[in-house]
Amino acid sequence: MSESPWIIDVTEQNFQQEVLVRSQTMPVVVDFWAEWCQPCRILAPVLHAQAEKRNGAFLLAKVNIDECQRIAQYFRIESIPTVLVFRNAEIINGFQGMLPESEIETFLNEFAPAGEPAAPAEPQPILDPAEQEQLLREKIAADREDFQARVDLAGLLVEQGRDAEIEELLASVPPGGELGADADRCRAIVAVRQLAQELAASAPQAPGEAEYLAGVALAAKGDTTAALEQLILAAEEDRTLARTKVREAMLLIFKIIGVRSEEADAFRDRLQRLLY
């Protein structure tokens, strides 16, 4: 952890506060990295030096993808280093891989020009889930078309296992884009849970059904990788099951982990090889 007030390590627990909330008052540059990534080690000191040099023009937030896998999946980080810039809780710019230092400086100048040292931003209060829910509901009440607030509230309720209101919240959210994908993720989590409840009392009657039931149950608990492995085993046992129930369950899980994530692509290829 750096001693600089402008460089912080971010975890899954504090990402919302340190990146999304703080980006309301200043640009936040998120560096997705890993210990084993040599280009990340080359890029890091360049970003650190720029953060120090600009003295508060932006906040550098470090995200270790091995320790923050859910965040990496959520933002579809497929290669590292990846740098994303957040302002007002939205991604406004970014790049992948290592750039020459001069290009990085030009990149940063677009939203965080060097100048007089900035005064430290006032710390934002950390809201507990109940306070977050109240704030989001107030936003929706003030603007029924605040789709970001609707998706954020749906995500908060899903995390708490409160699924009953999700479809009503998300019904008006337009499809496509990041908001649409986030809405689809919430719906898919609810759908998997409902499917698991429907199948809870089922007993396997044919080859592959035991693995299918196990896969759905694991997905409902959030263990998506183990769930996909079980579903592939079910597909290997019965090709007809693979084309119907297994495929439908896997499509739901792909929406949860990211339709174009590396993991989704890998399991999609495995299923296609079995079917074709």
Side-chain angles (χ1 to χ4, degrees), residues 121-141:
E122 288 294 324
Q124 299 294 316
I126 298 177
L127 303 179
D128 64 28
E131 291 171 326
Q132 292 179 42
E133 180 179 345
Q134 180 180 351
L135 177 61
L136 291 169
R137 290 192 184 280
E138 289 172 356
K139 287 185 175 182
I140 294 169

Side-chain angles (χ1 to χ4, degrees), residues 67-255:
E67 298 174 357
C68 304
Q69 295 182 13
R70 289 177 59 191
I71 295 175
Q73 289 178 352
Y74 184 86
F75 290 104
R76 300 177 179 85
I77 304 303
E78 298 181 352
S79 64
I80 53 174
T82 291
V83 173
L84 298 178
V85 183
F86 289 77
R87 196 74 173 96
N88 296 320
E90 295 183 354
I91 299 170
I92 62 169
N93 211 334
F95 66 86
Q96 288 184 337
M98 183 61 196
L99 297 179
E101 187 169 355
S102 60
E103 291 186 24
I104 293 173
E105 188 158 3
T106 300
F107 170 82
L108 295 172
N109 282 340
E110 294 181 7
F111 56 87
E116 292 299 317
E122 288 294 324
Q124 299 294 316
I126 298 177
L127 303 179
D128 64 28
E131 291 171 326
Q132 292 179 42
E133 180 179 345
Q134 180 180 351
L135 177 61
L136 291 169
R137 290 192 184 280
E138 289 172 356
K139 287 185 175 182
I140 294 169
D143 181 0
R144 303 292 295 176
E145 294 188 357
D146 188 338
F147 302 127
Q148 183 67 63
R150 286 180 172 274
V151 171
D152 288 346
L153 179 56
L156 183 65
L157 297 181
V158 164
E159 287 180 3
Q160 299 173 8
R162 298 162 59 190
D163 297 346
E165 193 182 347
I166 302 306
E167 188 51 46
E168 180 183 352
L169 271 173
L170 299 178
S172 62
V173 176
E178 290 186 15
L179 272 182
D182 292 344
D184 287 344
R185 179 178 183 273
C186 291
R187 291 190 183 100
I189 292 173
V190 173
V192 165
R193 288 174 180 167
Q194 291 175 343
L195 180 59
Q197 290 177 354
E198 293 169 5
L199 298 174
S202 301
Q205 302 293 328
E209 288 191 358
E211 292 81 1
Y212 167 71
L213 293 173
V216 172
L218 286 165
K221 295 177 182 177
D223 194 347
T224 53
T225 300
L228 288 167
E229 290 288 0
Q230 285 294 315
L231 291 170
I232 288 294
L233 291 176
E236 291 173 344
E237 290 287 334
D238 188 324
R239 297 298 189 271
T240 300
L241 190 65
R243 293 187 179 91
T244 54
K245 294 180 179 179
V246 167
R247 180 177 178 276
E248 291 166 3
M250 290 181 69
L251 289 176
L252 287 175
I253 296 173
F254 293 161
K255 290 180 180 179

